[in-house]
Amino acid sequence: MDNRFNLKQCYLLLTRKCNLSCSHCIRSSDPSFTEFMSVELCEKIFTEFSSCAQGAQLLISGGEPTLHPKFLDIVSKAYDIFDNIMINTNGLNFYKLSKLAPLKDKVKIQISIDGDFPTHESIRGEGTYYKTLENVNKLSNLGFKVIIATTVANNNIKSMSGLDDDLDKTDFSLWNIKRIVGYGRAEDNDDISSDHWNGFYRNVKIGFANKPRISIQPMFSIETIAKMDVSTYSNSDLSLRGVNCGTGRSKLYINPNGTVYPCACMEHKIVGDFGQESYLSISEKLANLNISPKKSSICQKCRIWNLCQGGCPGIGERNFNNGDPRCPIVAKANIFMARQVD
């Protein structure tokens, strides 16, 4: 069997328990969850990765991973295997995060901030905004590379300029801005249109004070698609490069119980179990997932099919495997098909 899977990112969910209950949480995490990944299972997973982890990034996530009673032990064990570790956190548990300072040569910290003061606190709770910003500065002062992560939706897009102002006075390395995905507690109507997103992208690149340290990408821009030169890419390059976000090609998610799924929007597609299977077995299943839009979809006829591969496969699946409906080309095809049915 041809295993086209080339590990680039592994999301290790230590728990789904969280000290917050954010309105857009892609994993629906909250304080009611009680399951934690066992240290023994972590050790088995790290052993499985020991021969293939070179160059791969381990993202230790949740829920809120610092709530795991053995959080520090687990990160220390990961440090012996992985050279690139990211802690995905809300940044409120400074005490535990600060204890990782001896590991900062391999460990980065990504902290979520969702808008300016009133917007962030409406999403994450009273008293979280300035405490989070303070902890960003304190962690940076300890020598950590701190990344700010912001999810943009209809309810917070207008607050981004205010957050930009506050972050201009904050010590961090990178601000990663992404568009919301309608999954978990987030809904599709939280999403902004692709035109609105691309307009926001242009405003960020032109006018934000922090633009030199912002990571943001346009999405499904008709102008970009029209101008794109596809002649320099080949199918063989793409099979290992990780098309889309890497689903089925270069990333995986591991639940606290050891089960594996391919995409944050495909939690229902359990493809394996590290409690019972090897990494090789699981990676073969991931590589052979059928996640492409169906052959009758407009995506298969698109000039940039080899580059896009139908957009987000999780969202495309909810569109009856007709491609990512956030793409204006797919959206137009959906309208046409709906009229044909009527």
Side-chain angles (χ1 to χ4, degrees):
M1 183 179 295
D2 178 23
N3 189 341
R4 299 169 295 156
F5 192 84
N6 183 26
L7 182 68
K8 298 295 184 184
Q9 289 185 320
C10 170
Y11 288 77
L12 188 72
L13 278 60
L14 297 187
T15 180
R16 289 179 183 263
K17 185 179 183 66
C18 190
N19 48 339
L20 304 178
S21 186
C22 304
S23 57
H24 64 262
C25 182
I26 198 168
R27 298 191 183 106
S28 301
S29 298
D30 64 40
S32 68
F33 285 88
T34 58
E35 185 179 24
F36 296 98
M37 182 176 287
S38 70
V39 174
E40 293 74 22
L41 180 56
C42 284
E43 290 177 335
K44 182 181 187 300
I45 291 169
F46 294 157
T47 298
E48 288 289 333
F49 283 131
S50 61
S51 62
C52 62
Q54 297 301 317
Q57 182 183 45
L58 177 69
L59 298 102
I60 297 180
S61 189
E64 173 50 45
T66 61
L67 295 181
H68 195 294
K70 296 294 184 180
F71 169 73
L72 298 175
D73 291 340
I74 290 171
V75 178
S76 295
K77 293 177 186 299
Y79 180 87
D80 294 333
I81 302 295
F82 289 85
D83 292 333
N84 186 354
I85 301 169
M86 179 88 78
I87 310 297
N88 291 347
T89 173
N90 55 42
L92 296 175
N93 195 341
F94 172 76
Y95 174 78
K96 274 197 176 180
L97 293 171
S98 68
K99 293 296 182 182
L100 298 176
L103 311 181
K104 62 180 179 291
D105 62 314
K106 293 184 181 181
V107 175
K108 296 186 285 290
I109 298 176
Q110 178 170 283
I111 294 177
S112 299
I113 304 179
D114 297 314
D116 59 13
F117 168 72
T119 304
H120 180 90
E121 299 227 332
S122 70
I123 293 172
R124 294 189 175 257
E126 185 178 351
T128 58
Y129 184 72
Y130 288 114
K131 183 177 181 181
T132 303
L133 288 178
E134 178 186 1
N135 287 345
V136 169
N137 283 325
K138 288 162 68 176
L139 290 165
S140 293
N141 288 339
L142 288 175
F144 285 104
K145 182 176 182 180
V146 179
I147 294 91
I148 306 299
T150 300
T151 300
V152 177
N154 275 319
N155 67 344
N156 69 349
I157 190 169
K158 292 181 180 179
S159 74
M160 290 300 125
S161 60
L163 176 56
D164 180 50
D165 291 340
D166 285 342
L167 289 180
D168 195 36
K169 303 181 284 287
T170 305
D171 188 7
F172 68 95
S173 298
L174 180 71
W175 183 9
N176 192 10
I177 305 177
K178 292 189 176 182
R179 179 179 173 180
I180 196 169
V181 174
Y183 198 80
R185 273 195 294 271
E187 298 179 356
D188 287 334
N189 59 13
D190 293 325
D191 194 6
I192 61 180
S193 71
S194 292
D195 284 344
H196 195 184
W197 170 261
N198 290 324
F200 169 69
Y201 162 82
R202 288 190 290 272
N203 289 338
V204 169
K205 299 299 285 186
I206 293 170
F208 273 37
N210 288 287
K211 59 186 178 183
R213 50 181 179 170
I214 290 176
S215 173
I216 183 172
Q217 299 296 329
M219 179 175 282
F220 296 121
S221 165
I222 291 295
E223 294 86 357
T224 302
I225 292 172
K227 295 176 182 177
M228 190 173 289
D229 179 10
V230 299
S231 63
T232 59
Y233 295 92
S234 69
N235 289 330
S236 60
D237 294 332
L238 291 166
S239 66
L240 293 177
R241 192 165 60 87
V243 293
N244 308 320
C245 58
T247 298
R249 296 294 179 267
S250 62
K251 73 174 184 177
L252 56 82
Y253 292 75
I254 309 176
N255 280 316
N257 64 0
T259 55
V260 178
Y261 58 101
C263 168
C265 300
M266 290 182 166
E267 291 186 351
H268 58 287
K269 279 191 181 295
I270 300 299
V271 297
D273 185 344
F274 272 108
Q276 304 173 21
E277 298 176 74
S278 68
Y279 167 72
L280 179 60
S281 171
I282 293 171
S283 66
E284 286 179 347
K285 294 177 183 178
L286 285 164
N288 288 281
L289 278 174
N290 182 14
I291 57 173
S292 295
K294 56 192 178 186
K295 293 189 180 301
S296 61
S297 72
I298 193 70
C299 294
Q300 300 265 8
K301 306 175 183 69
C302 182
R303 66 182 294 273
I304 63 164
W305 163 250
N306 282 346
L307 297 178
C308 176
Q309 299 282 295
C312 173
I315 297 176
E317 186 178 61
R318 301 206 305 275
N319 187 36
F320 307 104
N321 292 325
N322 282 313
D324 190 329
R326 298 174 299 174
C327 171
I329 297 172
V330 175
K332 186 176 180 179
N334 284 347
I335 293 171
F336 176 78
M337 287 188 292
R339 287 174 178 170
Q340 293 294 102
V341 171
D342 291 342

